[in-house]
């Protein structure tokens, strides 16, 4: 394909500094002639494959994952096409670097490793002029925004403006996993201050030097951003990311019917966990209605999963009150029971009649769940006793240690398999290596919403849906579970191999997009061959020809 957009503006050194158009040493002789690049590059022309080899060699030679992260991000700043080629061709190797767990290290060190800004910063000081400042963004075709205020970054807490690493990482996955064009992705940091005193004490911290604002000052800034974003980028989809639960639930409720908006921690996590449970049942043989879920952690992710589970049972004709009784929570105050005096509104439907129980092990022993799900951000809380109790109650206990990053996982893959004598069906939020016990090797699945949000976003973009609905996330969960093969299950994995993520996302997008048409959420005429249309939308990292 010849790129006709090339102009004087993109000649010479300028094109070498334009990450979207740069080809580095892969510019051909003819291109070097046309674009005025003679002398600006070493004489030898390298193929794309050779460039990829060089990048891989460099990445693998780095001493730490954080160094690998830095190398990859600087490659993204220099040559985005090569960056995506490497990431897509080696997704299993690169995802843990660009995303959990390494992105957690990167956010914690963000102010010190800062080299070049990426993404868009909106702070309290921009009140009243956000629309104007958004015009500064160089790309006008933005289709998806991931926005955070940095208050609950993974399980690491308040990282303020340093949380920007998360929207950047998530949007890289939108491109790598679902082919959303890089120029259509906008990472946003909403800087409303931080309560992390060590950041405020650090002279190199990049964010506002103040404590977080709450109440109307926060709400007005958020509202202004949503209005401005919709005006500047009509039809844009907005993903809320890593807001603390005091804001996440209420923002979702307030804006889900006013904008094309969803909360990944609530809805995306709900879908990925439900999918894992549905796939697990192909091993355990039970029915969804027979599952009893015990959660450790009753925040966005835990409640989001329970709500999705209840919606799935509703689809099977089971009343919400009955379905909710299958979901139990232990949070920082112990077992969530109806006698508890004060609780957040979203927890109330799951506060059941029961004697108070402080510890998780007692809750496991008395409630006898079929699955335990860790969303507490507290490591080592699925103890040996907990896993052994689960293995005593269930022939195949479902154990999901979903907290991120790896350092926060409730137990490791090895612990789950060893303590259950190889019977656990295990999944984790961050990746774990395969585990061999005796002559059996188990490959743990990664129960991470990276399986869900890229496909959902692609389906919403292709269909031009006005809204993102719970029905779409439910469809995404079913689609994902459907794509788990018998071979995956035999190896103990309840999610498809990451190497298939592009295909997985395309099929999720198909089911999500269909809902947009079925429920009248789009004006776009449905293409005759929707799957072909979806594939056509998917970005491929190939160099254009300039001569
Ligand atoms: P949150 O802050 O909304 O909720 C955390 C919950 O954990 C709260 O209910 C809190 O009471 C509870 N908790 C804290 N300490 C506890 C303890 N010692 N014992 C029992 N409960 C305790 O956070 P969230 O958004 O729900 O995220 C929680 C974790 O889930 C994070 O580590 C996050 O990275 C992870 N997560 C994973 C995925 C995934 O795709 N795997 C998606 C979203 C969130």
């Amino acid at each position: 394909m010849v790129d006709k957009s090339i102009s004087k503006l993109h000649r010479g050194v300028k094109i070498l500094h334009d990450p979207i158009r740069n080809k580095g040493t892969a510019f051909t002789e003819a291109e070097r002639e046309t674009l005025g690049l003679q002398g600006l590059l070493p004489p030898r022309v390298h193929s794309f494959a050779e460039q990829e080899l060089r990048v891989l060699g460099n990445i693998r030679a780095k001493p730490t994952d954080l160094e690998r992260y830095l190398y990859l991000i600087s490659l993204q700043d220099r040559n985005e096409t090569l960056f995506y080629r490497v990431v897509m061709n080696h997704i299993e190797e690169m995802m843990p670097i660009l995303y959990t767990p390494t992105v957690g290290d990167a956010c914690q060190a963000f102010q010190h490793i800062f080299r070049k800004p990426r993404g868009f910063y909106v702070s309290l000081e921009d009140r009243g002029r956000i629309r104007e400042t958004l015009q500064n963004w160089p790309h006008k075709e933005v289709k998806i925004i991931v926005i955070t205020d940095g208050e609950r970054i993974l399980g690491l807490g308040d990282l303020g403006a340093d949380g920007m690493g998360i929207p950047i990482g998530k949007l890289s996955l939108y491109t790598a996993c679902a082919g959303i064009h890089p120029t259509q992705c906008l990472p946003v940091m909403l800087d409303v201050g931080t309560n992390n005193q060590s950041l405020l004490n650090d002279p190199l911290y990049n964010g506002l030097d103040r404590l977080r604002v709450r109440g109307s000052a926060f709400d007005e800034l958020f509202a202004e951003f949503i209005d401005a974003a919709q005006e500047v980028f009509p039809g844009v989809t907005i993903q809320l990311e890593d807001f603390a639960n005091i804001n996440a639930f209420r923002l979702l409720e307030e804006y889900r019917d006013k904008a094309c908006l969803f909360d990944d921690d609530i809805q995306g996590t709900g879908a990925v966990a439900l999918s894992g449970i549905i796939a697990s049942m192909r091993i355990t043989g039970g029915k969804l209605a027979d599952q009893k879920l015990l959660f450790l952690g009753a925040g966005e992710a835990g409640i989001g999963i329970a709500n999705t589970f209840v919606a799935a049972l509703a689809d099977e004709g089971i009343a919400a009150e009955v379905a909710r009784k299958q979901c139990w929570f232990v949070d920082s105050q112990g077992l969530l029971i109806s006698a508890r005096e004060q609780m957040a509104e979203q927890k109330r439907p799951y506060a059941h009649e029961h004697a108070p129980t402080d510890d998780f092990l007692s809750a496991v022993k008395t409630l006898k769940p079929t699955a335990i799900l860790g969303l507490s951000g507290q490591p080592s809380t699925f103890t040996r006793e907990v896993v052994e109790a689960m293995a005593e109650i269930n022939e195949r206990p479902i154990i999901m240690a979903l907290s991120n990053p790896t350092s926060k996982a409730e137990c490791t893959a090895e612990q789950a398999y060893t303590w259950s004598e190889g019977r656990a069906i295990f999944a984790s939020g961050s990746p774990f290596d395969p585990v061999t016990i005796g002559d059996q090797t188990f490959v743990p699945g990664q129960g991470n919403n990276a399986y869900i949000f890229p496909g959902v976003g692609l389906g919403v973009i292709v269909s031009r849906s006005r809204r993102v609905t719970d029905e779409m996330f439910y469809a995404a969960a079913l689609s994902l579970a459907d794509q788990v093969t018998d071979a995956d299950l035999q190896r103990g994995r309840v999610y498809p191999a990451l190497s298939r993520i592009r295909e997985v996302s395309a099929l999720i997008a198909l089911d999500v997009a269909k809902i947009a048409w079925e429920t009248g959420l789009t004006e776009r005429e449905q293409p005759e061959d929707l799957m072909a249309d979806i594939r056509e939308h998917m970005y491929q990292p190939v160099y254009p020809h300039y001569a």
Side-chain angles (χ1 to χ4, degrees), residues 171 173 175 318 331 360 397 430-431 441 476:
L171 284 162
L173 296 189
T175 303
I318 294 166
D331 64 10
F360 192 64
S430 298
T441 296

Side-chain angles (χ1 to χ4, degrees), residues 152 154-155 245 269 298-301 331-332 375 402 404 447-449:
R152 200 244 58 205
L154 304 171
N245 65 39
T269 315
E300 290 156 65
D331 64 10
S332 50
L375 298 129
L402 297 176
N404 294 322
N448 195 290
N449 36 20

